[in-house]
Amino acid sequence: MNIEDILRQNKIKVTKARTRILYIILNSENSISAEQIYNNCINSGEDINLSTVYRTLEAFEEKHIVDKFDLGEGRYTYCLKKNSHMHILRCSLCNREIEVPCPMHQVEELVKNKTGFTLTEHHLILKGICEECKNKKS
Ligand SMILES: [Zn+2]
Ligand SMILES: [Zn+2]
């Protein structure tokens, strides 16, 4: 799928800046900050300002095109939303199971940022108490 199609599919008006920003995110191996995107644009002769980059990233985030990662200390990076897999969440009381989207992406980014490790695998055991059981108890 090309970049303009992704924008159109998400009902985002195609502009040169948006196309360029999404292109940079698509072609970035690691998650990337707004400043890095901005510098990349400037280096390739794009006439753009930093607030446009921020606004565009916000719009992409709203449309679930990108994931935003909080690296702490007010630093954020962005990457294309992965087709996330699901994990099973099981109720400790009635054993009902539901699927939830993988919550590990944030952790993956933190680990990469702190240690340089790229996680290739994880196992999660999620336990909780479902709403029904919780209501019964109280
Ligand atoms: Zn339950
Ligand atoms: Zn997972």
Side-chain angles (χ1 to χ4, degrees):
M1 198 190 321
N2 78 36
I3 291 169
E4 293 184 7
D5 286 339
I6 299 176
L7 292 175
R8 281 196 202 97
Q9 257 187 13
N10 287 283
K11 301 195 169 35
I12 294 174
K13 210 173 140 234
V14 177
T15 67
K16 219 173 142 221
R18 288 173 189 150
T19 310
R20 180 77 207 159
I21 290 168
L22 191 53
Y23 174 84
I24 292 167
I25 296 171
L26 271 167
N27 286 282
S28 163
E29 205 177 304
N30 297 313
S31 63
I32 188 170
S33 70
E35 288 79 12
Q36 286 172 306
I37 293 169
Y38 172 71
N39 289 334
N40 194 315
C41 287
I42 296 298
N43 289 340
S44 55
E46 206 78 46
D47 184 21
I48 198 170
N49 58 52
L50 192 54
S51 62
T52 305
V53 175
Y54 276 114
R55 268 204 313 274
T56 303
L57 288 170
E58 247 168 57
F60 287 174
E61 201 198 342
E62 259 168 40
K63 300 283 186 182
H64 305 291
I65 299 173
V66 300
D67 270 325
K68 183 182 185 182
F69 299 108
D70 186 348
L71 301 182
E73 289 148 21
R75 293 185 308 137
Y76 299 93
T77 58
Y78 300 82
C79 80
L80 207 68
K81 205 170 189 70
K82 293 172 194 158
N83 286 332
S84 69
H85 54 265
M86 306 294 271
H87 287 275
I88 304 280
L89 170 57
R90 177 182 290 145
C91 174
S92 309
L93 295 177
C94 69
N95 289 323
R96 179 196 311 205
E97 290 181 344
I98 61 160
E99 287 195 317
V100 290
C102 180
M104 284 291 287
H105 295 320
Q106 181 88 26
V107 175
E108 281 172 19
E109 287 303 310
L110 273 173
V111 168
K112 195 190 281 173
N113 204 255
K114 286 227 155 47
T115 67
F117 270 63
T118 299
L119 294 187
T120 53
E121 214 184 304
H122 60 255
H123 299 276
L124 275 187
I125 300 173
L126 301 169
K127 282 188 181 171
I129 296 170
C130 74
E131 206 172 5
E132 233 170 76
C133 290
K134 209 176 84 189
N135 291 340
K136 257 185 233 161
K137 275 190 89 181
S138 55

